[in-house]
Amino acid sequence: MSVIVSPSLLSADFLNLGKDIEMVNRSESEWVHLDIMDGVFVPNISYGLPIVAQIKKISRKLLDVHLMIVQPERYIEDFRKAGADILTVHIEASTHLHRTIQQIKTAGMKAGVALNPHTPVNQLEEIIHDIDVVLLMSVNPGFGGQSFIEQAVEKTHKLRKLINATGSPALIEIDGGVNYDTGRRLVQAGADALVAGSFVFKSKNPEEIIHGLKELDS
Ligand code: DX5
Ligand code: ZN
């Protein structure tokens, strides 16, 4: 199975968002990545529910929503209504993670759990069976265009081992600093899905970049 690509709209042209979503629709990506930031969990503020709902109207890709907000459990129903297909919460922001995951699934979405660069994958041991997607951050969340944290490759290896050993169905998704070089090494380490923001949207030919990421072989 080839790698799943999830272009991050954080680096899109917000004055022409419709055009960028049409590009993603035409591309070979399976998902489209939406970064929601509250200025508390992360130092930046991005966009919120009304934008997600508008994107849903024209997107033909699964909405992969990455919540970088405190108390994400308060917004599960709102994001379902806005059209999220995958809803990912940060482990560092979720006191009752088990309950939150169940609530996301009961609402009819796939449940994702994101880990900051400093958070070890063994924190997932007791919950890995319940998760649909693990999102490993390969930059500190909050901004696009940052440099890749190398430790993410080894971390991907460790998570692949944990998932294989437990028989969990979870997919491994990596977010931050993805390009052809880091992407290839992540896929080799066991990544199933790659988020790419600036690498896609700051390029002259974003569709071609998405195609190239799809070609990365394990
Ligand atoms: C960062 C976001 C990422 C961001 C990645 O907090 O979670 O999704 O858009 O951007 P690049 O691919 O430019 O590192
Ligand atoms: Zn993200």
Side-chain angles (χ1 to χ4, degrees), residues 61-150:
K61 308 293 177 163
L62 293 187
L63 298 198
D64 170 30
V65 178
H66 176 194
L67 297 183
M68 283 159 274
I69 65 175
V70 296
Q71 297 183 304
E73 63 281 356
R74 293 170 61 208
Y75 294 97
I76 293 171
E77 201 47 39
D78 287 335
F79 278 99
R80 183 198 63 78
K81 283 194 197 130
D85 295 291
I86 303 164
L87 193 63
T88 295
V89 300
H90 267 264
I91 193 168
E92 302 87 1
S94 308
T95 310
H96 299 286
L97 183 62
H98 185 273
R99 182 190 290 142
T100 300
I101 289 168
Q102 301 313 321
Q103 286 171 341
I104 293 171
K105 290 175 160 179
T106 305
M109 296 173 283
K110 298 278 185 204
V113 175
L115 269 59
N116 277 338
H118 74 276
T119 304
V121 295
N122 64 21
Q123 284 202 15
L124 293 170
E125 266 171 32
E126 310 303 330
I127 196 89
I128 192 74
H129 273 106
D130 298 294
I131 304 175
D132 297 304
V133 177
V134 178
L135 181 65
L136 293 185
M137 293 307 302
S138 40
V139 296
N140 284 295
F143 304 92
Q146 303 181 82
S147 16
F148 183 76
I149 297 172
E150 278 298 326

Side-chain angles (χ1 to χ4, degrees), residues 11 177-181 196-204 206 209 213:
S11 296
V178 168
N179 54 34
Y180 288 150
D181 168 48
S198 47
F199 189 53
V200 169
F201 288 99
K202 304 294 178 208
S203 84
K204 286 215 173 74
I209 295 286
L213 288 168

